[in-house]
Amino acid sequence: MKERAYLLGPNQSLLTIVSEPDSAPPPERPTFILLNAGIVHRIGPHRKTVKLARALCEAGFRAVRLDLSGIGDSAARRDALSFEEGALADLAELFDDLEKRYDTHRFALMGLCSGADNSFNMAVRDSRVVGAILLDGLAYRTRRYYLHYYGDRVRRPGSWVTLAKKVRKRIKNQLRHVLADDTYVADESAPREPVPDYVREFEPQEQVTRKLQQLIDRGVHMYWVYTSGTELYYNYPSQFFDMFKSVDFKNRISHDYFGDSNHTFTELRSQELLVNAVTRWATRTLA
C-alpha cells in the first residue's frame, strides 16, 4: 500500500490523502471517497476514517480521505456557497481531478452523520457515484419507533423513580407558595430535561423516498448502517425498511444495526466490527 498527500481542486485547496494498493485497481473498480464527519478532519473520530481507508486499500480499492473546504487543512471556498452546496462542489471538483490523475470514472462515497447526508446528496446529483456507505444517515421516526422509545422507558424502574421525584418536587413548590398566600410562579431554576446541543434536520421523507428510488433504479448500491447513538430518531434494527416501505430495493440495499456501538464507534471492538463489515460489503458488491 502507498499513501500520498495531494492538494487537489481548481485552486489546489483540498487536502487529500490517497491510499493505493500495490497493484493498480482495474478501471471499472470504483474509487472510495471518505468524507468528513461534521467538522472532524480527515482522520475521523478515533482515527476511524484512517482505519477504513487502509482496510479498503488492502481489499484492492483506491481510497481517498479528504478535508472539505474550511475543515482541517483545506482552505475555505472563495465563493458564497452554503456548507451543503460547497461540499457537493468540492466533491465534483475532486472527481474531476481524480479522473485526470488516475483515469477512474466510478466512485463510491462513505460518510458518518453529515458525511452520510453529503454522500447521499452527491449520489443523487452525480451519476459517477455507483455506491455509498451511509453511517447514521437520514432517518425518520415510525410508529414502531415510538413503541420502542416509550416502552423502554416504561419498563425502566429508574424512569418511574425520576418521575416520582419530579412530581413530588412540583407539589412541594406549589404547596409552599399556597401556604405563604403567594401567587404561584413556576420554579425556573429547577433542573430540566437535557436538550441536545445539535439536532439534525432532514429533508421531507417523501422527497428522500423519491431520491432513494431514483438511485436504486440507476443501479447505485448502498450500505446503510445505524448505531444506538441515533436513538433520537432511530432505535430498532428494521426501522430502515419501515421508513421506506414503498421503495423497491431491487437487492441493491444492505443494512446493519450496531446496537452496541455509539455514534462515533468509540470502542475498539465496534471499530473492528465496522471495518470488517465495510470491507466485506465493498468486496462482495463493488469489487
Side-chain angles (χ1 to χ4, degrees):
M1 182 176 66
K2 302 178 291 289
E3 288 191 319
R4 294 184 174 90
Y6 295 105
L7 287 170
L8 300 180
N11 299 311
Q12 293 189 320
S13 59
L14 295 175
L15 195 289
T16 61
I17 307 294
V18 180
S19 301
E20 294 184 81
D22 287 333
S23 300
E28 67 274 10
R29 185 171 297 171
T31 294
F32 265 93
I33 313 293
L34 286 73
L35 281 67
N36 300 102
I39 60 173
V40 181
H41 75 306
R42 62 191 175 277
I43 69 167
H46 319 296
R47 291 182 59 80
K48 174 180 61 65
T49 308
V50 175
K51 296 175 182 179
L52 286 166
R54 290 177 177 172
L56 287 166
C57 189
E58 290 177 2
F61 292 90
R62 181 180 294 110
V64 179
R65 297 181 284 121
L66 85 153
D67 286 332
L68 294 170
S69 293
I71 300 175
D73 293 304
S74 290
R77 293 188 65 86
R78 299 176 183 177
D79 49 35
L81 293 177
S82 66
F83 172 77
E84 292 79 8
E85 286 298 319
L88 302 188
D90 285 347
L91 290 170
E93 293 165 3
L94 178 66
F95 288 2
D96 294 342
D97 263 13
L98 292 173
E99 282 185 322
K100 296 173 186 176
R101 188 177 295 270
Y102 295 106
D103 194 30
T104 179
H105 308 284
R106 290 157 52 88
F107 299 94
L109 302 175
M110 176 164 48
L112 168 70
C113 197
S114 66
D117 300 344
N118 289 330
S119 296
F120 182 82
N121 291 328
M122 189 61 184
V124 171
R125 179 171 297 190
D126 198 312
S127 61
R128 290 174 289 184
V129 178
V130 298
I133 299 174
L134 306 111
L135 310 177
D136 281 348
L138 299 157
Y140 302 91
R141 299 181 184 97
T142 64
R143 185 174 302 175
R144 190 173 166 192
Y145 165 89
Y146 289 105
L147 290 175
H148 281 273
Y149 185 85
Y150 291 109
D152 288 346
R153 281 154 179 76
V154 167
R155 289 192 294 269
R156 292 178 194 164
S159 298
W160 292 101
V161 173
T162 301
L163 177 62
K165 288 180 179 178
K166 289 180 179 179
V167 171
R168 181 182 176 187
K169 185 170 184 178
R170 181 176 290 272
I171 292 173
K172 285 177 64 178
N173 288 338
Q174 290 177 340
L175 285 174
R176 186 167 63 249
H177 287 285
V178 169
L179 294 175
D181 196 24
D182 193 8
T183 302
Y184 173 71
V185 179
D187 183 4
E188 296 295 335
S189 65
R192 301 183 179 186
E193 290 293 323
V195 177
D197 293 329
Y198 171 63
V199 178
R200 293 172 68 193
E201 295 183 359
F202 302 125
E203 284 186 74
Q205 187 171 0
E206 296 77 13
Q207 293 181 24
V208 171
T209 300
R210 185 172 62 253
K211 291 178 180 179
L212 180 61
Q213 188 66 69
Q214 290 171 357
L215 289 174
I216 292 170
D217 293 342
R218 203 179 81 205
V220 178
H221 291 270
M222 287 168 277
Y223 181 30
W224 295 75
V225 176
Y226 292 90
T227 70
S228 62
T230 58
E231 67 169 0
L232 285 176
Y233 49 86
Y234 197 104
N235 66 3
Y236 64 95
S238 60
Q239 184 174 331
F240 180 85
F241 300 103
D242 290 342
M243 294 187 303
F244 300 114
K245 286 184 176 180
S246 65
V247 173
D248 180 4
F249 295 115
K250 300 180 179 179
N251 293 322
R252 295 195 177 105
I253 298 293
S254 299
H255 170 272
D256 266 322
Y257 181 65
F258 284 62
D260 294 326
S261 174
N262 63 17
H263 180 54
T264 57
F265 298 88
T266 302
E267 295 185 358
L268 292 176
R269 178 59 178 160
S270 296
Q271 295 177 30
E272 180 183 353
L273 291 172
L274 176 66
V275 168
N276 290 339
V278 164
T279 52
R280 185 168 56 248
W281 177 85
T283 302
R284 184 181 67 243
T285 308
L286 300 176

